[in-house]
Amino acid sequence: MEPMSTPIAGMPSAAFEATTYRKVGWRLIPFLLLCYVVAYLDRVNVGFAKLQMVGDLKFSETIFGLGAGIFFIGYFLFEVPSNVILHRVGARVWIARIMISWGIISGATLFVTTPSMFYVMRFLLGVAEAGFFPGIILYLTYWYPASRRGRMTALFMTAVALSGLIGGPISGWILKDLSGVRGLAGWQWMFLLEAIPSVVIGIAVLLVLDDRIRDAKWLDDEEKTLLERNIASDVAHKEDLPLRRVFSNGKVWVMSLIYFSFVIGLYGVGFWLPTIIKGTGVTDPLTIGLLTAIPYGFAVIAMVLVGRRSDLKGERRWHIAIPAFIGAAGLFLSTTWSHNTQLAMLALTFATMGIMIVLPLFWSMPTAFLGGTAAAAGIAMINSLGNLAGFVGPYLIGFLKDTTQSTNSGMFLLTAFMVLGGLLTLMVPARIVNR
């Protein structure tokens, strides 16, 4: 996004349009990005908690993997109804509700003492957060046509990488320096302190977001008319299917499988990156936190550049498939170089960049052909089915690590899924998704 400038009388329509979208971008994207940073941090900080939690509570790798992944069962069950509710009642109230409730539950995870409590809290966290991410993706379709949505989604989803860039060092510091303070372990302090921003920002959502273009008091009538006209033109090319037909639509199921393949890579890295780095010989929690920031830092830059190029070229499939293959290669090489911290970090950086690039660009595909209630239900269905990978991946990696005493077999599994996702993407007809 470029700095805003004020429209002037007689400004050419193209320049006026560009200025209007810059205005919208500066109003919405930084705030939505901040929301997602705290959301994703509360979702995956359990990966850092593992460095102390497993030892303190005597959890096996399988128990941890199941607990980390069971979040997505609650997420799966409540995703579609949550997004349909958001479409009907408006994003402002519903996103605020989601953020406040998950913040409270995430903070309460500090009271976990048994595997059963761990499973219950992770499940409830998934229920609370269900609908947030697909709700934001749906919300962006209310403001941006398909030709502009790739870069905006990429900017929004840099939050995933930023949460690692920012959250890694902070989590490492909390684990190291607050351990034992007032009788709480470092992982307990981490859950408590990292939950507070979610509640505060959730309250701010009520003040900042507008449900629709027509509700935005910060836009004048000419700007609103321009935005609404572009959205109306975009919607004319989409399918607004009845709910029952969304669930039987072949394209939606293919998109779900593609997203499943990419998400299994995302959460494999998100939940296990600190453990993989520790396996290279690094033991200090703060150092591990700082090292996890490196792959995410490069990923932020790559996401923005590739997302912008994809929009300019109007091409989606190859801009998704090539990074998916690069991510797969990085995951594979991280096992080959697992005993050399420098080489392993290089491989993990490429793996993280590839995985992070494909996620926002993926969402430019289903939103190119789904509209209205079909978009609300279809996006939620794809996201919920895809995010079952967040349950399958961590559990399988934990099981394989307990069985083989190595994370290598788990990384091979993630590699295979990233390749599968890339190949399936290339099988999608270009006419459906390229704009």
Side-chain angles (χ1 to χ4, degrees):
M1 293 177 295
E2 302 170 19
M4 285 188 297
S5 59
T6 304
I8 58 175
M11 179 182 289
S13 60
F16 175 63
E17 181 171 337
T19 301
T20 301
Y21 276 108
R22 281 198 297 273
K23 186 175 183 179
V24 173
W26 280 105
R27 172 75 182 198
L28 297 182
I29 301 302
F31 183 72
L32 294 176
L33 186 150
L34 178 62
C35 291
Y36 197 32
V37 165
V38 298
Y40 196 78
L41 183 60
D42 281 348
R43 184 187 301 186
V44 302
N45 59 8
V46 70
F48 270 96
K50 176 181 181 291
L51 298 175
Q52 294 178 349
M53 192 179 191
V54 168
D56 288 353
L57 302 181
K58 305 297 187 291
F59 287 176
S60 69
E61 297 287 345
T62 303
I63 288 173
F64 171 79
L66 178 58
I70 208 168
F71 165 96
F72 296 96
I73 300 299
Y75 196 84
F76 170 77
L77 293 174
F78 289 88
E79 185 87 322
V80 173
S82 179
N83 220 36
V84 171
I85 292 172
L86 182 146
H87 183 61
R88 291 176 178 172
V89 306
R92 189 175 65 91
V93 171
W94 199 245
I95 290 174
R97 192 285 303 164
I98 290 172
M99 294 192 67
I100 293 168
S101 62
W102 97 52
I104 292 170
I105 292 169
S106 181
T109 307
L110 72 90
F111 298 110
V112 165
T113 57
T114 66
S116 296
M117 291 178 67
F118 184 44
Y119 300 153
V120 168
M121 294 308 296
R122 291 293 295 176
F123 177 82
L124 291 177
L125 186 64
V127 171
E129 193 181 322
F132 174 78
F133 175 78
I136 298 297
I137 296 298
L138 178 64
Y139 186 64
L140 291 175
T141 69
Y142 299 160
W143 295 85
Y144 293 99
S147 60
R148 293 180 175 272
R149 209 157 46 239
R151 74 194 81 174
M152 292 300 105
T153 305
L155 282 169
F156 163 63
M157 288 192 67
T158 57
V160 177
L162 285 171
S163 70
L165 180 65
I166 299 168
I170 291 175
S171 296
W173 173 77
I174 292 173
L175 291 179
K176 181 179 182 180
D177 286 10
L178 295 186
S179 183
V181 174
R182 297 189 178 275
L184 295 179
W187 61 268
Q188 292 175 303
W189 276 112
M190 187 191 68
F191 281 125
L192 176 61
L193 295 178
E194 292 182 357
I196 294 172
S198 295
V199 177
V200 174
I201 296 171
I203 295 170
V205 165
L206 296 171
L207 304 174
V208 175
L209 291 190
D210 297 290
D211 289 327
R212 301 279 180 171
I213 294 170
R214 191 50 52 182
D215 299 332
K217 295 180 180 178
W218 43 275
L219 292 171
D220 63 34
D221 289 341
E222 189 177 2
E223 291 166 336
K224 291 177 183 178
T225 299
L226 168 70
L227 295 173
E228 289 173 337
R229 184 174 65 245
N230 288 348
I231 293 300
S233 176
D234 191 56
V235 168
H237 299 287
K238 298 180 180 181
E239 298 177 75
D240 190 359
L241 304 172
L243 283 179
R244 57 184 175 77
R245 288 188 59 194
V246 170
F247 300 123
S248 61
N249 186 284
K251 291 187 293 235
V252 173
W253 281 98
V254 170
M255 292 294 161
S256 299
L257 181 55
I258 294 172
Y259 195 53
F260 181 96
S261 300
F262 293 153
V263 170
I264 205 168
L266 171 67
Y267 287 113
V269 170
F271 286 138
W272 294 92
L273 183 59
T275 301
I276 295 168
I277 293 174
K278 185 177 181 180
T280 67
V282 181
T283 57
D284 178 64
L286 179 57
T287 303
I288 292 173
L290 292 171
L291 286 176
T292 61
I294 294 173
Y296 289 115
F298 281 98
V300 169
I301 299 170
M303 290 171 75
V304 174
L305 293 179
V306 178
R308 177 175 296 174
R309 188 178 188 278
S310 178
D311 271 359
L312 291 174
K313 297 291 184 181
E315 200 286 325
R316 304 303 184 191
R317 300 182 309 153
W318 286 102
H319 282 81
I320 295 171
I322 292 175
F325 298 146
I326 292 173
L331 288 170
F332 180 81
L333 290 174
S334 72
T335 64
T336 305
W337 296 334
S338 60
H339 299 296
N340 183 306
T341 301
Q342 289 77 18
L343 289 177
M345 286 302 305
L346 178 64
L348 288 169
T349 297
F350 276 102
T352 306
M353 288 171 64
I355 293 167
M356 292 294 154
I357 288 169
V358 302
L359 292 170
L361 288 181
F362 165 82
W363 285 108
S364 64
M365 295 199 297
T367 56
F369 65 85
L370 290 172
T373 302
I379 290 169
M381 176 180 164
I382 293 166
N383 192 60
S384 60
L385 289 172
N387 271 288
L388 284 178
F391 170 75
V392 175
Y395 176 73
L396 285 180
I397 294 174
F399 174 76
L400 290 171
K401 188 171 188 294
D402 275 341
T403 303
T404 65
Q405 300 303 307
S406 171
T407 58
N408 286 2
S409 55
M411 292 302 104
F412 294 147
L413 177 71
L414 302 184
T415 299
F417 271 104
M418 290 300 297
V419 171
L420 175 63
L423 293 175
L424 288 173
T425 298
L426 293 178
M427 293 174 64
V428 176
R431 60 181 173 78
I432 295 177
V433 297
N434 287 349
R435 290 284 178 85

